[in-house]
Amino acid sequence: MPLPPRCSRALAAALLLLTTTASTLLATGSLEPASAGGSWAVPAPRPNVDPMTHLGEYANRVMASINHHRAKAGLPKVRFYSACVDGYAEVWALHLAALGTLVHRDQRFLLRACDLTWVGEALVRAENVSPAQVVSAWMHSPEHRAVIMKRRANRAGIGITLDGQGRLVGVLNFADVN
């Protein structure tokens, strides 16, 4: 359901301010996600929570769907979020929402910032799509499928937000930590 125009404009303005500030801080190296060295278990989906109105639940269901595909292929599940990777995924999702287009960032930045040996990224911008539909689209894209099905992926970060037009903007980063 799209937001009323007044709310959409206010949200877009707030996102623009936040992402401009975050982009500037990222460019200068002054912004680091909280608990850069920490990680936490990927929570199980909560069936009584609507993922379309609770974006954290949306992210958890994306991970559940991805882990279902990985398990079917005999791959280990990605069981942990990395605070560092997740923080940068969230900031990048906000940046892309304000920018109005999808563009991959230089992954070498994440390798250095989060002390990783490998990182991959998948992006999405869409309206009225379920987490399973997003994962299905990624699985039908050879480049995105390669990221999702990479055996060495052992940490995740997901940023999910809405842009000024009410569209879902998402960033998935999978990583291998040192």
Side-chain angles (χ1 to χ4, degrees):
M1 177 172 77
L3 295 171
R6 187 180 76 200
C7 291
S8 294
R9 285 191 299 275
L11 178 62
L15 284 173
L16 180 60
L17 175 63
L18 178 62
T19 56
T20 301
T21 303
S23 295
T24 302
L25 291 171
L26 277 173
T28 62
S30 300
L31 175 68
E32 293 188 24
S35 306
S39 63
W40 66 94
V42 172
R46 297 176 295 167
N48 59 334
V49 177
D50 180 2
M52 303 309 276
T53 58
H54 295 85
L55 298 180
E57 180 61 21
Y58 196 101
N60 293 338
R61 292 191 189 187
V62 165
M63 285 302 301
S65 182
I66 287 171
N67 278 330
H68 173 77
H69 286 282
R70 288 176 62 87
K72 279 185 5 184
L75 295 171
K77 293 180 179 182
V78 176
R79 298 184 185 275
F80 296 95
Y81 286 117
S82 157
C84 184
V85 175
D86 191 68
Y88 283 115
E90 290 178 17
V91 169
W92 195 246
L94 289 170
H95 171 73
L96 295 177
L99 191 60
T101 188
L102 296 182
V103 60
H104 290 283
R105 73 183 129 198
D106 183 344
Q107 298 301 298
R108 292 174 296 188
F109 173 79
L110 279 177
L111 287 170
R112 288 187 305 271
C114 298
D115 193 28
L116 306 171
T117 60
W118 171 83
V119 66
E121 185 172 74
L123 307 175
V124 63
R125 182 179 66 199
E127 293 182 64
N128 301 318
V129 293
S130 71
Q133 289 171 315
V134 167
V135 174
S136 178
W138 285 337
M139 292 299 289
H140 285 91
S141 161
E143 295 85 2
H144 295 109
R145 182 182 177 84
V147 169
I148 289 169
M149 302 303 276
K150 188 81 155 188
R151 178 171 290 280
R152 67 191 288 188
N154 58 32
R155 294 293 185 275
I158 300 182
I160 303 287
T161 192
L162 299 176
D163 69 9
Q165 298 174 4
R167 296 176 297 192
L168 178 114
V169 176
V171 175
L172 165 73
N173 285 117
F174 268 8
D176 182 11
V177 297
N178 279 327

